[in-house]
Amino acid sequence: LRLGRRRDAREALWQAMDVAASLGGEHLITEQLLDSMSVTETQKAAGNDAFRCGDWPRALSAYDAAIGPDVGRWDLELSAQLLCNRSNVKSKLGSVAEALADVSSALALLPHYVKALFRRGLLYMELEQFKNAVEDLELVSRLAPQFPGLAEWLQRARVWAVRPPKKNYYALLGLRPGATPAEIKKAYRKAALKWHPDKNQHDCERAERMFKDILEAFEVLSDPQRRSQQDGQEAHQHTGASTHFAYPASRSSFAGEKRAPFGFPGGGFGGP
């Protein structure tokens, strides 16, 4: 089981139970382990199905049920996958701190788990902890240089670590930096409707400020050249920016504002 050979493990455990039965006894530890393996596998499959359907609460419930019996963490790879998958769902639900805790637990089990490193790097980006994001993404670049989406995110993390954006337009609209023009337009319409001053008479001053920022974000992200400047891509292309930086302290561009999660490539970190 420690080697991830679950079929062989199950056969060996059944043999142990048969031996115990032939001696007129039983082996409760073996029976409990077999039960926990069955529950974990069944609930993991249920969580994956719910994830594919976009049913985040159901996926979270299934992954919770899968992780619960996995007390011994005998199969490190499976345990890390479960924690990583649950982290993905929690990020979808906007629980960024909990998502970060889960993916960090996965990496405590498997320090070179590439998908978990990439996902944690993106969570650090969302939390504007750009130095930490660079460290994780650079490790991904050493372990899996062709990992999907890595080049774009690593470049952005390096630039933002040195020169954080004055306004995080993506966070303001609840978008990921890789959002498509259609996604940008949809997010703008939703945010503009939410913060339109006519709908916020009780807090008109704040609504006017937010509405102005939302319009500015849409204008910048809808213009390829201005968006490139926002992402730091233009500076990188013209200066050949170094991969080594002196990092500033992390800061929040929207202190006091509740920010929607960026989301990530492939609909959130990709599927489980």
Side-chain angles (χ1 to χ4, degrees):
L1 190 56
R2 179 66 78 184
L3 295 173
R5 294 164 52 184
R6 298 182 70 83
R7 179 179 297 178
D8 292 341
R10 186 174 280 103
E11 290 179 359
L13 291 169
W14 277 114
Q15 289 174 9
M17 289 187 65
D18 288 342
V19 170
S22 69
L23 297 175
E26 56 184 354
H27 204 269
L28 292 179
I29 295 177
T30 299
E31 185 175 350
Q32 291 168 358
L33 183 53
L34 282 166
D35 287 344
S36 71
M37 289 172 62
S38 178
V39 170
T40 294
E41 291 165 2
T42 299
Q43 293 298 328
K44 178 178 183 287
N48 292 352
D49 287 342
F51 187 96
R52 282 189 286 269
C53 294
D55 189 341
W56 315 131
R58 184 162 63 90
L60 179 60
S61 178
Y63 288 137
D64 282 344
I67 290 171
D70 189 30
V71 179
R73 301 284 194 267
W74 294 106
D75 185 343
L76 293 179
E77 184 174 348
L78 179 65
S79 298
Q81 287 176 357
L82 288 169
L83 289 163
C84 199
N85 289 355
R86 189 171 70 175
S87 169
N88 194 357
V89 173
K90 287 180 176 180
S91 74
K92 291 284 192 181
L93 293 169
S95 301
V96 182
E98 292 183 18
L100 181 62
D102 268 355
V103 77
S104 294
S105 294
L107 286 165
L109 297 175
L110 292 179
H112 288 171
Y113 184 6
V114 173
K115 180 182 280 189
L117 282 166
F118 185 72
R119 288 179 172 178
R120 190 170 70 175
L122 301 193
L123 286 171
Y124 280 138
M125 289 290 287
E126 184 172 346
L127 293 167
E128 299 186 26
Q129 297 179 24
F130 302 126
K131 177 181 177 180
N132 291 336
V134 170
E135 291 175 353
D136 275 356
L137 295 175
E138 285 188 339
L139 181 52
V140 173
S141 73
R142 293 194 291 273
L143 296 171
Q146 304 303 317
F147 193 87
L150 173 63
E152 173 192 0
W153 281 95
L154 180 54
Q155 175 182 313
R156 182 177 291 112
R158 285 169 171 166
V159 172
W160 285 7
V162 175
R163 189 177 65 256
K166 293 180 180 179
K167 289 186 178 180
N168 193 332
Y169 294 126
Y170 294 105
L172 187 60
L173 295 181
L175 291 167
R176 73 187 196 281
T180 66
E183 290 170 335
I184 292 170
K185 183 178 294 185
K186 181 179 180 180
Y188 163 69
R189 289 174 176 169
K190 181 179 179 180
L193 182 63
K194 175 182 178 181
W195 288 105
H196 196 287
D198 290 348
K199 292 183 174 292
N200 294 272
Q201 295 292 332
H202 62 286
D203 195 359
C204 195
E205 184 177 343
R206 183 187 180 204
E208 288 178 355
R209 184 176 68 253
M210 289 295 293
F211 190 77
K212 180 180 178 181
D213 286 344
I214 287 165
L215 177 59
E216 181 181 342
F218 177 67
E219 290 174 345
V220 170
L221 298 181
S222 297
D223 184 312
Q225 184 174 357
R226 295 175 71 186
R227 183 178 181 183
S228 180
Q229 292 172 344
Q230 160 77 12
D231 290 349
Q233 294 174 348
E234 189 169 274
H236 179 87
Q237 291 166 357
H238 290 307
T239 65
S242 169
T243 58
H244 302 286
F245 299 95
Y247 298 102
S250 176
R251 66 180 181 84
S252 174
S253 301
F254 293 92
E257 296 288 353
K258 184 177 180 181
R259 298 179 301 140
F262 284 167
F264 303 95
F269 284 125

